[in-house]
Amino acid sequence: MDFVVDHLSWFLSLHIMAFTAWMAGTFYLPRLYVYHTQTTPGTAESERFKTMERKLLRQIMTPAMIVTVLVGGMMSSVPGLVDWNSGWWWTKVICVLGLMGFHGACSKWRRLFAEDRNPHSEKYYRIANEVPTILMVIIVIMIMVRP
């Protein structure tokens, strides 16, 4: 615990960098799905999208999510840093859980694309692409403004 307190700025920096990487991937992956719906399964173009989607999810998004959650959890354990009775904190936590759920949905969609079994339309992914933006706006307002 003392280690976290003594190095809080470093942990906060790591948390912000990981969150930024996670969000960048979370914004981009549904956009890849939009374009992937426009390809014919089995074509070289479709296979290229499968590779891009897999690498983005496994090599960038998932590690960034794990670091974001672990470091955020460590920082929230610092006494006095979080008012556990305030609404802004629980709103943020709920939105982070929602973002993690969206991450899980992206994983499921990627698996379906990999199996050439995508059930959704281009419009579906265009709408889904807005979800992480809304959650990010709420998360940042809750942590910075603390209304």
Side-chain angles (χ1 to χ4, degrees):
M1 176 69 85
D2 289 336
F3 180 80
V4 175
V5 172
D6 292 343
H7 297 88
L8 194 57
S9 294
W10 287 102
F11 282 104
L12 181 58
S13 297
L14 179 59
H15 183 68
I16 291 169
M17 289 183 282
F19 182 71
T20 301
W22 184 23
M23 289 308 305
T26 304
F27 293 146
Y28 189 50
L29 189 57
R31 179 57 49 189
L32 287 176
Y33 295 155
V34 167
Y35 300 137
H36 198 160
T37 61
Q38 300 168 359
T39 67
T40 303
T43 62
E45 188 179 22
S46 177
E47 296 305 310
R48 187 176 330 111
F49 276 110
K50 289 177 187 180
T51 299
M52 292 167 60
E53 293 156 359
R54 185 187 74 250
K55 287 182 176 184
L56 178 60
L57 187 68
R58 290 186 180 171
Q59 296 175 6
I60 297 172
M61 289 174 60
T62 298
M65 177 188 68
I66 291 168
V67 171
T68 299
V69 172
L70 288 178
V71 174
M74 287 171 47
M75 290 189 306
S76 68
S77 70
V78 172
L81 195 62
V82 173
D83 177 3
W84 294 91
N85 295 315
S86 59
W88 68 265
W89 173 253
W90 294 108
T91 302
K92 179 195 178 216
V93 168
I94 289 167
C95 288
V96 170
L97 291 173
L99 199 53
M100 292 171 74
F102 185 80
H103 185 104
C106 284
S107 296
K108 178 182 177 185
W109 298 332
R110 190 210 60 82
R111 188 175 61 253
L112 291 172
F113 271 114
E115 297 168 353
D116 292 325
R117 296 187 312 123
N118 168 48
H120 302 296
S121 68
E122 175 183 335
K123 184 177 180 179
Y124 178 89
Y125 294 113
R126 286 186 186 279
I127 293 168
N129 199 35
E130 303 307 319
V131 171
T133 303
I134 294 165
L135 292 171
M136 183 207 60
V137 166
I138 296 169
I139 289 167
V140 171
I141 289 171
M142 291 302 114
I143 201 67
M144 296 305 298
V145 179
R146 299 182 180 193

